[in-house]
Amino acid sequence: MNSKCKYLILVVMFIAGCGLEIKAQSDLDINRIFDKYGKQKGSVMVEMSKEMLEGYDFSFYKSIVISNNEEAGDFTRGCLQTDQNGAKKVKQVVTNGKISSVYLQLPKKGKYNRLILFNEKSVPELKMTLIYIESEKDSEEIMKLILKKK
Amino acid sequence: MKLNRRNIITVDEAEKLIEKYYEGETTVAEENQLRTFLAQSNVPPQFEAEKAIFGYYESKKARKHFRLQPYLRWAAAAVIAAGVIIPVSIFQASGKTSYAYINGVRITNTQEIISLAQTTINYVSDNNEVEDGLDNLKNDETIKTQLDAFSEIEL
């Protein structure tokens, strides 16, 4: 086997190995939130792939709910600040000078539309929710799908 | 040339064939007979040189036989690549990447994961701000409504 062949196989195996982790959200700063807080006490993180999302017509879903962690909220706002570059800000609510709610429509990745939903409530307890969604449907339809499931 | 029943030539016949071989007059069939003769384990010592010559050609032939052509090497690489990528794709598509963590405890139960996702979505959609966001997406009615508030102001 010559060196070209070995090189090709190595490259293929590397790409395939990385493929396990590579997802469309991997280029986003919010990934750090899932990594940092996903497995912590007080957090509920959910990741769902296409098969479990048929009812929603989503391709990928990832969310995290963090309770009573002010630092997590601030950290998330910082990440969203980065990710909103190039994104369409569908909606933003600022409460007491802090972003309490924001919906970002990210640039399309391949055939998938991507949406980030962030919401933070302080009553009855401090609770931060972050959702990342990929879907072939457009943002408006994604929102409708979310409302439909209420 | 007369051959014995096992198609193995005698020593005399082999000597004659070797002479013929060195003169370049042997046929393919005769060279095969010679090769068969020299491949035996009990070949007399005077044939060592010829055995080496034919042995060399045999090994070269064998190597050539098992040598992959360049296109076959690429094909083999492609097969290996497919062998790696396809199972990875199947694994990813199989839904095994769906999971949840509650307080650091991993959950893989499908119903529980769906339920958690639903609850999470409700946290976001419970406030009616979602509908407002939708309205903003649709058109510029919000701006129009806000501007209308100033329409009655007299300058």
Side-chain angles (χ1 to χ4, degrees), chain A residues 2 19 42 45 47 56 91, chain B residues 73 92 99 101 103 118 129:
Chain A
N2 67 11
M45 179 169 71
E47 180 173 325
Y56 284 97
K91 184 211 147 179
Chain B
R73 270 181 270 160
Q92 285 189 309
Y99 60 84
Y101 276 92
N103 295 324
Q118 186 60 65
E129 293 158 355

Side-chain angles (χ1 to χ4, degrees), chain B residues 1-69:
Chain B
M1 183 164 288
K2 193 178 178 181
L3 299 174
N4 64 18
R5 282 170 63 187
R6 293 176 62 211
N7 204 26
I8 303 289
I9 54 176
T10 62
V11 172
D12 288 342
E13 288 167 339
E15 282 177 340
K16 285 175 188 170
L17 274 181
I18 285 167
E19 274 183 37
K20 216 175 160 185
Y21 176 77
Y22 284 133
E23 286 166 9
E25 292 174 0
T26 47
T27 63
V28 173
E30 286 170 334
E31 284 177 21
N32 283 338
Q33 289 166 0
L34 204 49
R35 189 173 288 113
T36 308
F37 171 79
L38 293 169
Q40 295 176 105
S41 57
N42 55 346
V43 178
Q46 69 264 31
F47 294 105
E48 282 302 314
E50 288 75 23
K51 200 174 177 180
I53 292 168
F54 275 87
Y56 167 73
Y57 287 125
E58 284 292 324
S59 64
K60 194 177 177 186
K61 190 182 171 188
R63 274 207 307 273
K64 194 176 178 184
H65 180 69
F66 289 107
R67 190 170 170 232
L68 283 173
Q69 296 298 315

Side-chain angles (χ1 to χ4, degrees), chain A:
Chain A
M1 196 181 290
N2 67 11
S3 58
K4 271 185 186 174
C5 198
K6 282 180 188 170
Y7 180 72
L8 177 74
I9 290 168
L10 280 173
V11 168
V12 166
M13 290 183 81
F14 175 74
I15 292 167
C18 292
L20 283 170
E21 292 300 323
I22 291 174
K23 296 213 166 57
Q25 94 280 8
S26 59
D27 61 329
L28 300 173
D29 222 32
I30 56 164
N31 245 346
R32 294 164 59 207
I33 303 159
F34 295 112
D35 292 341
K36 188 174 179 182
Y37 300 102
K39 296 174 187 175
Q40 277 191 8
K41 197 178 175 186
S43 298
V44 176
M45 179 169 71
V46 179
E47 180 173 325
M48 292 166 80
S49 54
K50 200 170 183 178
E51 286 63 36
M52 286 179 74
L53 291 163
E54 282 176 355
Y56 284 97
D57 289 326
F58 297 161
S59 312
F60 183 74
Y61 170 95
K62 195 163 186 174
S63 69
I64 187 165
V65 178
I66 306 172
S67 301
N68 301 314
N69 190 336
E70 198 174 343
E71 186 262 333
D74 293 336
F75 184 80
T76 303
R77 274 181 278 269
C79 294
L80 290 169
Q81 193 73 31
T82 307
D83 288 340
Q84 72 181 18
N85 292 328
K88 181 182 174 185
K89 202 181 289 178
V90 177
K91 184 211 147 179
Q92 177 172 287
V93 177
V94 178
T95 309
N96 296 326
K98 278 185 175 181
I99 294 171
S100 59
S101 189
V102 67
Y103 304 151
L104 292 177
Q105 185 183 327
L106 300 167
K108 211 170 175 181
K109 190 109 180 181
K111 61 180 180 178
Y112 297 115
N113 287 300
R114 305 181 297 161
L115 200 68
I116 295 175
L117 311 176
F118 167 76
N119 187 259
E120 188 181 55
K121 288 177 180 177
S122 54
V123 178
E125 62 172 348
L126 186 63
K127 186 173 282 182
M128 185 214 89
T129 307
L130 179 76
I131 299 176
Y132 170 82
I133 292 168
E134 286 172 18
S135 176
E136 289 183 44
K137 295 185 177 297
D138 63 35
S139 299
E140 190 178 345
E141 283 183 275
I142 295 171
M143 299 297 274
K144 278 180 181 171
L145 284 167
I146 291 171
L147 293 172
K148 188 181 79 178
K149 296 291 175 181
K150 262 177 85 171

